């Protein structure tokens, strides 16, 4: 490129994955139990957002979008996160209530993929979590028309001041009607462990037809080619 160096090539950026393996003989029969093991290890090893997950949604025209959100709870019913229901992801989940999640823990060369239908959590669940948030985050939820175009940072700061005055600057900031939780009810959960020469281990749990997910053990376990 005239006048300077060209863009740096990234085609040769690679490394070997040599931190472990994953076999059918060592995994838990229930994918939530296996997830708990991996998440606990990630929480202990890396305090910087180990609960971060990529959330992928699709609108009614089939256009995908993805963003990173934080896991705020999980059990046999599914994986929970919270957001503004009127945000882009909220609108897309209203149009197409299915989603995919990806957790990535590079310190262990591990990924977990989740696919399933999505439902809103109860208002009681949403309220319990919302009231546990710091005051600033609660005020921010009221002030932000998430995903909407705004004129500038000043507009957002003005809205925060207005909301703070509205609620008297104290801690009694209630749950907005437009804000709450979603639960991804898993139908497929895949555990990926990086291995040398790109011969990775991929173990997938597939929910059996008719299993309710309420603590049942209706999962088929398969190994996928890397």
């Amino acid at each position: 490129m005239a006048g300077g160096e060209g863009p740096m090539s990234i085609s040769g950026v690679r490394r070997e994955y040599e931190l472990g393996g994953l076999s059918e003989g060592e995994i838990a029969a229930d994918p939530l139990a296996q997830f708990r093991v991996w998440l606990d290890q990630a929480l202990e090893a890396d305090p910087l957002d180990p609960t971060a997950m990529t959330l992928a949604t699709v609108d009614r025209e089939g256009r995908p979008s993805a963003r990173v959100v934080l896991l705020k709870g999980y059990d046999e019913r599914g994986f929970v996160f919270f957001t503004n229901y009127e945000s882009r992801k909220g609108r897309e989940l209203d149009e197409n209530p299915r989603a995919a999640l990806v957790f990535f823990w590079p310190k262990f060369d591990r990924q977990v993929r989740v696919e399933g239908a999505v439902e809103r959590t109860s208002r009681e669940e949403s309220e319990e979590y919302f009231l546990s948030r710091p005051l600033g985050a609660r005020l921010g939820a009221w002030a932000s028309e998430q995903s909407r175009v705004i004129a500038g940072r000043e507009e957002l700061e003005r809205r925060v001041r207005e909301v703070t005055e509205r609620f008297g600057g104290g801690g009694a900031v209630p749950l907005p009607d437009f804000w709450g939780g979603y639960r991804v009810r898993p139908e497929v959960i895949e555990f990926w462990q990086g291995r040398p020469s790109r011969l990775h281990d991929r173990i997938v749990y597939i929910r059996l037809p008719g299993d309710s997910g309420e603590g049942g053990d209706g999962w088929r376990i398969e190994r996928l080619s890397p």
Side-chain angles (χ1 to χ4, degrees), residues 28 31-42 74 105 110:
L32 271 301
Q34 182 64 39
F35 179 81
R36 184 175 299 110
V37 170
W38 277 20
L39 179 60
D40 286 349
Q41 291 173 350
Y74 70 97
W105 298 306
R110 289 172 176 171

Side-chain angles (χ1 to χ4, degrees), residues 3-222:
E5 298 181 358
M8 182 179 67
S9 172
I10 60 172
S11 62
V13 177
R14 63 174 60 88
R15 66 180 176 87
E16 286 288 8
Y17 299 102
E18 300 176 323
L19 297 182
L22 185 64
S23 70
E24 291 85 341
E26 65 184 13
I27 60 173
D30 186 311
L32 271 301
Q34 182 64 39
F35 179 81
R36 184 175 299 110
V37 170
W38 277 20
L39 179 60
D40 286 349
Q41 291 173 350
L43 287 165
E44 183 176 352
D46 187 359
L48 188 61
D49 290 334
T51 60
M53 59 187 184
T54 299
L55 165 69
T57 54
V58 178
D59 67 15
R60 62 165 56 97
E61 264 109 53
R63 292 173 298 199
S65 63
R67 75 290 289 161
V68 176
V69 299
L70 297 179
L71 178 70
K72 289 301 178 181
Y74 70 97
D75 57 24
E76 67 278 358
R77 297 171 297 169
F79 299 80
V80 174
F81 64 94
F82 294 88
T83 189
N84 186 314
Y85 288 142
E86 298 173 0
S87 65
R88 177 175 178 178
K89 55 185 170 295
R91 297 194 304 270
E92 290 178 347
L93 288 170
D94 284 343
E95 296 170 359
N96 187 349
R98 299 189 64 80
L101 307 172
V102 180
F103 298 86
F104 178 48
W105 298 306
K107 283 198 170 184
F108 294 97
D109 294 340
R110 289 172 176 171
Q111 294 184 66
V112 176
R113 295 178 52 252
V114 180
E115 301 172 17
V118 180
E119 64 187 17
R120 291 189 183 188
T121 62
S122 68
R123 183 167 178 83
E124 290 74 21
E125 289 177 89
S126 296
E127 187 169 50
E128 180 180 7
Y129 172 69
F130 185 80
L131 295 179
S132 75
R133 303 179 89 204
L135 175 60
R138 282 178 278 146
L139 292 169
W142 276 96
S144 174
E145 295 180 330
Q146 195 174 110
S147 303
R148 308 287 181 177
V149 175
I150 58 174
R153 178 79 186 182
E154 296 79 9
E155 180 180 342
L156 179 61
E157 292 173 349
R158 175 184 57 79
R159 290 179 60 86
V160 171
R161 290 194 298 271
E162 291 174 350
V163 168
T164 302
E165 293 174 5
R166 174 182 173 185
F167 294 110
V173 181
L175 171 69
D177 290 337
F178 54 80
W179 199 97
Y182 287 99
R183 177 175 287 107
V184 181
R185 299 184 68 92
E187 298 166 4
V188 176
I189 305 180
E190 178 189 329
F191 294 82
W192 181 98
Q193 175 70 61
R195 297 294 299 274
S197 302
R198 300 302 189 266
L199 298 176
H200 311 304
D201 288 326
R202 297 177 61 189
I203 304 294
V204 62
Y205 295 73
I206 302 171
R207 191 182 294 282
L208 297 176
D211 183 67
S212 67
E214 302 293 338
D217 58 356
W219 296 92
R220 182 174 75 251
I221 300 175
E222 298 176 338

